């Protein structure tokens, strides 16, 4: 995934592009570049490394000065991160930036070589598009763009400038997200809203196959056939602060602290007279009552939220739920029936594998429900029904608040399905919903209570080569997320394991001093989990136990006990998540890692 931006207006274009790119660095950060019209000529500056490296380079070598241009922050797919592979890429008269992937770039490259258009400098698929555009360009930019769009295959969003069309930026969307911001006398292009929120909250969402032309502080749109379009101007409900660190050292810790509010904003509008009401999302008890099987499909953290969903829906609603990794589900020819429900969970709403599941389900008769954070994203638009989570922008690559709100939606859904299926009555449902309403407060209390302990305990983890997360039932579902969080930002290997399964092989890994983090919030399973904690302790493990305030656990088996505030056992995952996030966060900080932008990762994976 990459981030693209563009600007046409009275401000210093380079400053605007750099500022906007800082808000998109979460999308990719191995190189950056800009192209700006300076005195009618396109000036390019680009560099391998972070945006700060590009800024440093421009400070030394001079920055392009002008009022219209495009910019890019890259997460390499074709060609290693290097100066030459950095965007923008150019043909003779065309310069462009690209987010996405061009599947048939090799054939096009071959075609261009055969037609004596052989000046390829980089290893990227993007340069092939620039050259193809140049090949077809005979003075009408829209005609050339449309021709190219008919020939290239893949997912892409492009920002384009033509050397003989000064002060004008062209933007194109096919799959990869793209918006056009409208300010007073100025216009912006960006892959995501946070990039422009400092300048304007008003934006147009480009749809598949649409082309935008930005000129003289205004924008015009046309479709793939060249027909002019009128588009609806939307207003972002985020303010600038939500895309800033707000005094916190990292986005991740800011986002951890935002969780109580995020959960409140997600659940409160969906509760009416003490009962869940998802009708504004197109979900009624009538639609849920005849559901046979549920499939929850997602990637990474979102899939882990689905795991919690499975336990809760099966327990309360007695409906069979299968949770699958999207990249597996899409190729395993799953048995989906007419009355089944396929739930796709995604923070970004743009994850390629999750998106592919929607096409797979079409035609099976099953209904699709998206649980998505980013409004207007592809998955949200393509599903039959959508529940938006209201976490606000999540910038840190490691997902925290998005996971938390996904959990809250899983609970609301479980309650609603249980009611629809007649497995609980309204009174029971009111009790459960009331307990869910208390969760934001309990999460807040948990953060305050455990933050110092987690900071301290993390100092014991930084030297570990490997560690284990164990738990049973909901605690097992949760330990999967704890383990992923830790490994993605601390770079310490970790594995999550069903506690009862340890003795079937994995316990042989335990040796003196190996940290084992046990989640033990499920009182009905506590005794069993404690036995497993003792087993690893007896083999030399350093045990860290996350449990509620009252859990009776033999202290001798535990090196560090993190006690969290108590709530109904079924809802405990939302509270127990907090120490796991904080342990991961402080371990990463203590190791001196780049917490918000861990190596090799991008915020959302829009390519397969
Ligand atoms: O945008 P999505 O929720 O579809 O993204 C899915 C995963 O890529 C994502 O949750 C990833 O695992 C996170 N970096 C984990 O913190």
């Amino acid at each position: 995934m990459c981030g693209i931006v563009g600007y046409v207006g009275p401000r210093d274009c380079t400053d605007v592009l750099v500022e906007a790119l800082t808000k998109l660095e979460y999308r990719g950060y191995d190189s950056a570049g800009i192209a700006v019209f300076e005195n009618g000529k396109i000036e390019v500056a680009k560099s391998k490394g972070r945006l700060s490296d590009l800024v440093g380079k421009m400070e030394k070598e001079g920055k392009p000065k002008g009022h219209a241009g495009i910019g890019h922050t890259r997460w390499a797919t074709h060609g290693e991160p290097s100066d030459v592979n950095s965007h923008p890429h150019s043909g003779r008269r065309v310069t462009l930036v690209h987010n996405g992937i061009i599947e048939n770039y090799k054939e096009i490259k071959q075609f261009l070589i055969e037609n004596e258009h052989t000046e390829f400098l980089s290893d990227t698929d993007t340069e092939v598009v620039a050259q193809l555009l140049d090949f077809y360009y005979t003075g009408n930019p829209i005609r050339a763009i449309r021709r190219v769009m008919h020939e290239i295959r893949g997912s892409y969003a492009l920002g384009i400038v033509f050397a003989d069309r000064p002060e004008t930026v062209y933007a194109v969307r096919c799959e990869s997200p793209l918006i056009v911001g409208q300010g007073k006398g100025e216009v912006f292009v960006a892959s995501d809203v946070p990039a422009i929120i400092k300048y304007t909250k008003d934006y147009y969402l480009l749809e598949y196959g649409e082309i935008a032309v930005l000129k003289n502080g205004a924008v015009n749109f046309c479709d793939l056939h060249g027909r002019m379009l009128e588009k609806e101007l939307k207003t972002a409900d985020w303010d600038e602060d939500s895309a800033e660190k707000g005094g916190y050292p990292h986005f991740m810790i800011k986002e951890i602290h935002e969780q109580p509010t995020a959960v409140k904003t997600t659940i409160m509008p969906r509760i009416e007279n003490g009962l869940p009401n998802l009708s504004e999302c197109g979900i009624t008890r009538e639609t849920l009552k005849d559901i046979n099987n549920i499939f929850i499909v997602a990637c990474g953290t979102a899939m882990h939220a689905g795991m919690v969903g499975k336990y809760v829906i099966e327990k309360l609603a007695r409906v069979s739920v299968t949770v699958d990794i999207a990249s597996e589900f899409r190729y395993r020819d799953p048995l989906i029936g007419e009355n089944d429900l396929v739930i796709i969970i995604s923070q970004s709403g743009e994850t390629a594998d999750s998106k592919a599941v929607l096409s797979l389900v079409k035609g099976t008769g099953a209904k699709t429900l998206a649980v998505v954070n980013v409004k207007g994203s592809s998955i949200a638009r393509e599903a039959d029904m959508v529940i938006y989570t209201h976490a606000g922008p999540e910038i840190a690559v490691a997902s925290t608040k998005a996971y938390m709100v996904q959990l809250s939606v899983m609970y609301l859904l479980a309650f609603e399905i249980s009611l629809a299926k007649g497995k609980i009555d309204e009174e029971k449902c009111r009790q459960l919903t009331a307990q869910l309403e208390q969760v934001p407060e309990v999460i807040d209390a948990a953060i305050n209570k455990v933050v110092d302990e987690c900071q301290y305990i993390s100092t014991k983890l930084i030297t570990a080569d490997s560690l284990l997360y164990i738990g049973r039932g909901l605690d097992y579902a949760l330990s999967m997320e704890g383990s992923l969080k830790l490994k993605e930002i601390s770079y310490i290997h970790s594995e999550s394991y069903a506690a009862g399964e340890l003795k079937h092989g994995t316990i042989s890994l335990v040796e003196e001093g190996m940290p084992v983090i046990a989640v033990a919030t499920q009182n009905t399973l506590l005794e069993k989990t404690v036995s497993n904690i003792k087993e690893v302790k007896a083999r030399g493990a350093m045990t860290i136990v996350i449990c509620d305030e009252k859990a009776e656990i033999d202290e001798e088996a535990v090196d560090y006990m993190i006690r969290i505030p108590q709530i109904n056992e079924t809802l405990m995952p939302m509270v127990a998540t907090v120490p796991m996030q904080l342990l991961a966060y402080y371990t990463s900080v203590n190791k001196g890692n780049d917490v918000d932008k861990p190596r090799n990762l991008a915020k959302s994976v829009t390519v397969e």
Side-chain angles (χ1 to χ4, degrees):
M1 185 173 71
C2 305
I4 68 178
V5 294
Y7 178 70
V8 179
R11 300 177 203 253
D12 180 305
C13 181
T14 298
D15 290 351
V16 174
L17 296 177
V18 168
E19 175 69 30
L21 287 174
T22 58
K23 304 293 182 314
L24 295 185
E25 253 197 313
Y26 72 88
R27 300 176 67 88
Y29 34 87
D30 58 41
S31 45
I34 60 168
V36 172
F37 282 105
E38 183 172 317
N39 300 324
K41 208 170 148 260
I42 298 171
E43 293 295 337
V44 172
K46 55 187 191 172
S47 163
K48 177 186 166 189
R50 298 283 165 101
L51 192 57
S52 53
D53 295 306
L54 172 69
V55 171
K57 187 173 178 181
M58 290 194 294
E59 271 162 15
K60 266 199 230 132
E61 298 173 8
K63 66 171 193 178
K65 287 195 179 61
H67 299 285
I70 51 179
H72 190 264
T73 177
R74 179 171 188 243
W75 187 71
T77 54
H78 295 73
E80 55 165 18
S82 68
D83 283 358
V84 80
N85 285 335
S86 308
H87 298 212
H89 289 283
S90 304
R92 279 173 302 130
R93 295 157 300 171
V94 180
T95 295
L96 57 80
V97 289
H98 165 217
N99 170 32
I101 208 158
I102 306 299
E103 285 164 7
N104 58 339
Y105 79 103
K106 283 193 182 144
E107 290 108 282
I108 295 171
K109 196 168 187 175
Q110 191 55 36
F111 164 80
L112 289 168
I113 289 167
E114 281 163 14
N115 285 276
E116 293 176 59
H117 216 95
T118 49
E119 303 150 41
F120 290 98
L121 303 173
S122 75
D123 307 317
T124 63
D125 49 348
T126 306
E127 190 187 3
V128 174
V129 183
Q131 296 281 17
L132 186 67
L133 202 44
D134 206 68
F135 181 76
Y136 287 129
Y137 185 52
T138 53
N140 182 331
I142 298 287
R143 192 176 298 154
I145 290 171
R146 285 173 45 220
R147 176 86 197 253
V148 165
M149 288 174 82
H150 283 294
E151 297 206 3
I152 57 179
R153 274 201 323 272
S155 64
Y156 56 88
L158 304 168
I160 312 165
V161 285
F162 290 82
D164 60 356
R165 290 285 184 280
E167 310 310 309
T168 309
V169 168
Y170 296 81
V172 171
R173 176 185 185 180
C174 166
E175 306 281 352
S176 307
L178 201 62
I179 57 154
V180 172
Q182 177 69 70
K184 286 201 180 85
E186 56 185 351
V187 268
F188 306 81
V189 176
S191 298
D192 200 357
V193 175
I196 59 156
I197 208 87
K198 177 172 179 185
Y199 307 103
T200 180
K201 283 184 171 190
D202 297 331
Y203 69 96
Y204 300 95
L205 183 70
L206 259 73
E207 306 280 349
Y208 177 90
E210 290 181 350
I211 304 167
V213 185
L214 289 76
K215 196 177 174 182
N216 295 333
V219 57
N220 287 304
F221 300 98
C222 69
D223 67 11
L224 206 47
H225 309 287
R227 291 179 296 231
M228 298 303 286
L229 297 170
E230 287 294 323
K231 288 188 65 71
E232 180 202 349
L233 190 63
K234 297 175 184 290
T235 302
D237 51 11
W238 302 340
D239 53 20
E240 204 190 327
D241 285 354
S242 29
E244 299 287 345
K245 286 190 201 140
Y248 289 96
H250 301 101
F251 279 110
M252 183 177 173
I253 189 71
K254 175 185 175 236
E255 288 161 5
I256 289 173
H257 281 272
E258 283 171 347
Q259 294 182 117
T261 309
V263 172
K264 227 183 267 173
T265 323
T266 300
I267 61 169
M268 287 318 203
R270 277 88 186 240
I271 297 174
E272 214 177 271
N273 297 325
L275 294 174
N277 183 345
L278 301 170
S279 53
E280 50 106 23
C281 315
I283 303 161
T284 60
R285 272 169 226 159
E286 203 48 38
T287 51
L288 296 172
K289 123 174 142 7
D290 296 323
I291 281 168
N292 277 344
N293 301 300
I294 296 178
F295 296 88
I296 303 182
V297 192
C299 303
T301 288
M303 191 273 288
H304 295 155
M307 285 299 295
V308 172
K310 172 188 164 72
Y311 279 91
V312 182
I313 296 170
E314 287 192 340
K315 181 174 169 185
L316 295 175
R318 310 306 297 153
V319 179
S320 157
V321 182
T322 308
V323 181
D324 228 317
I325 298 166
S327 55
E328 288 294 313
F329 188 82
R330 64 184 288 194
Y331 294 117
R332 79 168 166 81
D333 201 6
L335 294 168
I336 310 169
E338 206 167 316
N339 285 331
D340 293 345
L341 174 69
V342 180
I343 304 175
I344 292 136
I345 309 178
S346 175
Q347 187 286 129
S348 62
E350 300 293 345
T351 303
D353 285 316
S354 305
K355 207 161 104 183
V357 171
L358 282 167
S359 331
L360 180 87
V361 176
K362 275 210 174 90
T364 61
K367 287 256 176 298
T368 52
L369 163 64
V371 178
V372 165
N373 195 43
V374 176
K375 304 224 168 63
S377 54
S378 308
I379 293 174
R381 285 181 300 142
E382 285 169 33
D384 298 323
M385 300 166 282
V386 53
I387 303 181
Y388 279 115
T389 53
H390 299 306
E394 190 181 64
I395 310 290
V397 166
S399 184
T400 53
K401 62 174 179 172
Y403 173 71
M404 195 66 101
V405 291
Q406 286 160 357
L407 293 186
S408 69
V409 167
M410 289 297 108
Y411 285 102
L412 274 181
L413 255 181
F415 301 166
E416 188 71 330
I417 300 169
S418 310
L419 264 184
K421 291 273 179 193
K423 298 295 174 193
I424 57 171
D425 58 19
E426 290 201 349
E427 197 193 325
K428 173 75 185 160
C429 191
R430 280 204 171 85
Q431 281 170 15
L432 289 166
T433 311
Q435 284 159 348
L436 182 62
E437 284 176 304
Q438 288 166 18
V439 165
E441 229 173 277
V442 184
I443 296 172
D444 201 29
I447 296 174
N448 293 326
K449 180 170 187 303
V450 304
V451 67
D452 293 342
E453 285 168 78
C454 289
Q455 192 165 5
Y456 173 70
I457 296 169
S458 72
T459 61
K460 310 287 170 198
L461 302 181
I462 52 176
T463 49
D465 292 326
S466 179
L467 52 82
L468 288 176
Y469 280 77
I470 59 168
R472 285 170 180 260
L474 276 169
D475 289 334
Y476 171 48
L478 202 59
S479 32
M480 291 181 179
E481 174 56 10
S483 169
L484 174 64
K485 209 80 316 164
L486 185 92
K487 74 183 127 197
E488 74 174 322
I489 57 172
S490 74
Y491 315 145
I492 298 172
H493 170 259
S494 87
E495 232 182 292
S496 58
Y497 235 76
E501 182 69 6
L502 273 182
K503 58 174 90 58
H504 297 287
T506 304
I507 201 164
S508 68
L509 291 175
V510 177
E511 55 186 1
E512 199 58 38
M514 182 193 207
V516 176
I517 300 181
V519 194
T521 70
Q522 300 298 297
N523 284 324
T524 38
L525 296 165
L526 188 63
E527 224 176 278
K528 308 254 175 234
T529 309
V530 170
S531 302
N532 300 127
I533 296 169
K534 286 183 178 165
E535 278 163 15
V536 291
K537 180 73 191 157
R539 284 153 184 87
M542 176 176 83
T543 54
I544 299 157
V545 177
I546 299 172
C547 59
D548 70 44
E549 281 156 335
K550 296 200 183 115
E552 284 177 22
I553 298 180
D554 184 353
E555 301 220 339
E556 279 185 7
V558 183
D559 290 291
Y560 302 100
M561 188 101 77
I562 306 177
R563 290 197 183 267
I564 49 175
Q566 203 171 9
I567 195 161
N568 172 313
E569 180 172 305
T570 311
L571 293 164
M572 278 307 270
M574 294 186 72
V575 188
T577 301
V578 168
M580 298 208 284
Q581 294 170 338
L582 290 168
L583 282 174
Y585 171 73
Y586 285 113
T587 307
S588 177
V589 171
N590 287 332
K591 287 191 74 177
N593 294 351
D594 190 340
V595 177
D596 288 334
K597 298 181 200 121
R599 69 186 180 203
N600 305 338
L601 290 172
K603 181 67 185 161
S604 83
V605 185
T606 52
V607 291
E608 203 182 343

